Amino acid sequence: RELAYLSEMLKAPKKPFAAILGGAKVSDKLLALRNLIGRVDSILVGGAMAYTFLLAQGHALGRSRVQADMAQEAKSILELAKSKGTRLLLPVDHVCAAELKQGVATRTVAGDIPAELMGLDIGPATEQLFAAEIAGAATVVWNGPMGVFETPPFDRGTLAVAKALAAATSRGAVTVAGGGDTAAAVEAAGLASALSHISTGGGASLEMLEGKHFESLDPLLDA
């Protein structure tokens, strides 16, 4: 079932096809990004990895987690997406705080993030932007949370995406969530049964998005 969903989704997806990638590091999702560009209609980027893309665009990001050494790579991915006709959507606002802890005072910031703050989740305008893109898709694959979802209130963006996927599924879209953190977030939202498929493969599901071939499965499939 796992192979059927992931393989068919990548080989013959119903269009429009949207991919949602989150998590901490661009470097973790680099191969997946490059493999998906040109194959999907849009890529929605959240989590701390989005800040590296925003850095590449010249934005100030305060104390947000950024992979400065990946900024040039992020810039090349933005250029590749544009040349291949894949829309790459980045957050337009952020839920920020001076430190990461439960109950801390938060502030929603559009555009540049002040020097004393760090971005810890996508903001409400980004939630709406991403939800609208998901609503228009016939196939959606999601890997990686939108913020530090383990620490409320920075779970809101991830839960909003989960709800948007559930709504898309109810309208007939094929929706797949993969990766340990993503699966945990969907379970926490109580929406696991509302999506088409929750990948149990963890990092292996990301490798499928990277286009990797699993030689160990060939004898099983042949049998």
Side-chain angles (χ1 to χ4, degrees):
R1 186 163 171 259
E2 176 93 351
L3 287 172
Y5 262 103
L6 296 178
S7 298
E8 288 305 311
M9 177 194 65
L10 292 172
K11 287 179 184 175
K14 292 191 292 182
K15 295 278 193 170
F17 184 6
I20 308 165
L21 295 177
K25 297 180 179 179
V26 172
S27 55
D28 290 344
K29 305 287 166 69
L30 186 60
L31 292 176
L33 281 161
R34 290 198 172 276
N35 188 49
L36 289 169
I37 287 172
R39 304 177 69 175
V40 301
D41 298 287
S42 59
I43 299 176
L44 289 58
V45 180
M49 63 181 283
Y51 299 129
T52 301
F53 284 97
L54 291 169
L55 177 69
Q57 291 182 333
H59 290 282
L61 298 160
R63 294 169 48 233
S64 304
R65 183 172 180 177
V66 173
Q67 280 187 289
D69 61 332
M70 293 294 294
Q72 192 59 44
E73 189 69 51
K75 188 174 182 179
S76 72
I77 288 172
L78 290 167
E79 292 169 351
L80 178 64
K82 186 176 182 180
S83 70
K84 296 280 189 178
T86 295
R87 297 189 308 281
L88 200 151
L89 281 65
L90 296 171
V92 294
D93 64 343
H94 321 273
V95 178
C96 302
E99 58 182 327
L100 174 58
K101 70 176 184 180
Q102 195 164 345
V104 70
T106 64
R107 176 177 159 194
T108 299
V109 176
D112 291 350
I113 297 173
E116 72 277 9
L117 298 178
M118 63 180 79
L120 296 166
D121 195 10
I122 58 172
T126 305
E127 288 177 21
Q128 293 179 14
L129 175 70
F130 285 7
E133 190 70 22
I134 292 165
T139 304
V140 187
V141 58
W142 177 24
N143 186 290
M146 298 293 99
V148 190
F149 79 99
E150 305 95 335
T151 308
F154 308 113
D155 56 348
R156 178 177 159 169
T158 300
L159 296 178
V161 166
K163 290 174 182 176
L165 260 69
T169 312
S170 70
R171 292 190 295 268
V174 174
T175 57
V176 179
D181 286 343
T182 313
V186 175
E187 292 281 357
L191 294 170
S193 62
L195 273 60
S196 302
H197 184 68
I198 306 294
S199 171
T200 57
S205 65
L206 180 60
E207 291 186 357
M208 285 198 76
L209 296 182
E210 294 172 358
K212 290 187 178 178
H213 175 67
F214 298 115
E215 293 182 8
S216 58
L217 294 174
D218 288 341
L220 299 175
L221 297 175
D222 291 342

